[in-house]
Amino acid sequence: MADKNFVVDKDKCIGCARCVKDCIAYALALDENNKPYLSKDGENRCISCQHCMAVCPVGAISILNKNPENSDPVWNYNPDAVLNLIKSRRSTRHYKSENLDAETLQKLKDMLNWTPTGCNFHKLHFAFVEDKDIMDKIRDYVNKKLIKILTGNIANKIKTKFSHYKDALVNGEDVIFRGAPHMVVVSAPINAPCVNIDPVIALSYFELYANSLGVGTCWCGFAHICMQLFPELAIQMKVPHGYKIAYVMLFGKPDIKYSRTTQPEPFEFTTVKDFTIQKLSITQKIKHFFINNIR
Ligand SMILES: Cc1cc2nc3c(=O)[nH]c(=O)nc-3n(C[C@H](O)[C@H](O)[C@H](O)COP(=O)(O)O)c2cc1C
């Protein structure tokens, strides 16, 4: 286990013990002068979440060689503005055929480092297609391959999945990548505690931040399927050994403007009002297992 380098500025520390209280790993304790320390055991348990540094009201704690002065202050947010951002993001399927500027691309990449991961595993891989000419090569390759399969005689699962889109593809429509100049392909290590969830959280954050910068995005199930169908395409994403591709998001400058939000039908919501344990039959238990573990 790497050294966590937990350092307390004892002149600044006010002995409030907030760091001890907020440590999920129970790795910190207070010494006889009410100053926190990380024990040898704690060193092994620490998950490097940096809560100790973030919660300290006086910036007295450094961990992992991070200087608390380099952290950003925490702002208050306008909840209406956040809600409007959530409501007004749309799946963008019309893009300007131009690259985003380097500064915007860098902002989008930097933000990703703050997305949460289960157990603070903090290992994800993002393959960015930053140049629309490369994206054009990818779309040409995939679209041609799909057309060949869809117009050929051999029945296979690709034909079934994409049959509705045959005519559009043959007519030259970019059904898969929607003319997007960029895409990001996210992968997670197969041994990550939350291998299926972490990448989706990252792309959800990406989508909202991108939209706040005026960048359109689209979750792309089709491109994800293509990554699975055409391994030669997936290999181009330089996914590290032991990682699996989780999802794909298209993005770029939108060539469409939405004037208002949608008005979705409400999902189902339940308020849990009591807690009375019911004895389950073996059939109910088996049914529960299958409903919750399949797919
Ligand atoms: C997991 C997921 C996969 C999706 N895959 C595609 C896709 O392959 N192509 C596409 O055009 N839209 C795709 N979408 C976009 C949905 O069709 C879209 O979210 C839905 O129609 C609602 O529209 P809105 O996102 O503008 O609110 C996907 C959305 C999600 C959440």
Side-chain angles (χ1 to χ4, degrees), residues 170-181:
V170 170
N171 288 336
E173 277 181 48
D174 181 16
V175 172
I176 310 298
F177 303 101
R178 300 289 175 184

Side-chain angles (χ1 to χ4, degrees), residues 48-121:
S48 303
C49 68
Q50 304 182 25
H51 270 222
C52 48
M53 180 178 81
V55 79
C56 177
V58 291
I61 292 175
S62 162
I63 189 157
L64 301 163
N65 296 317
K66 310 289 179 190
N67 180 346
E69 284 176 18
N70 294 338
S71 291
D72 295 337
V74 175
W75 294 356
N76 292 321
Y77 304 95
N78 176 343
D80 291 336
V82 177
L83 182 60
N84 185 266
L85 175 65
I86 291 168
K87 285 183 177 180
S88 53
R89 60 136 294 280
R90 292 272 69 77
S91 294
T92 298
R93 300 193 184 90
H94 303 278
Y95 293 93
K96 291 203 189 316
S97 177
E98 58 188 72
N99 287 331
L100 287 175
D101 60 86
E103 192 192 337
T104 304
L105 277 167
Q106 195 56 50
K107 278 183 175 173
L108 287 166
K109 285 184 182 174
D110 288 346
M111 175 281 299
L112 286 167
N113 298 318
W114 273 267
T115 70
T117 54
C119 304
N120 201 36
F121 201 68

Side-chain angles (χ1 to χ4, degrees), residues 10 36-37 41 215:
K10 294 197 171 157
Y37 68 93
D41 267 8
V215 174

Side-chain angles (χ1 to χ4, degrees), residues 18-68:
R18 283 177 216 195
C19 51
V20 178
K21 189 175 164 193
D22 201 43
C23 177
I24 189 185
Y26 301 100
L28 298 177
L30 290 185
D31 67 15
E32 61 286 359
N33 299 315
N34 260 358
K35 308 291 178 193
Y37 68 93
L38 180 66
S39 64
K40 197 88 216 116
D41 267 8
E43 184 101 20
N44 290 330
R45 286 198 300 272
C46 169
I47 62 164
S48 303
C49 68
Q50 304 182 25
H51 270 222
C52 48
M53 180 178 81
V55 79
C56 177
V58 291
I61 292 175
S62 162
I63 189 157
L64 301 163
N65 296 317
K66 310 289 179 190
N67 180 346

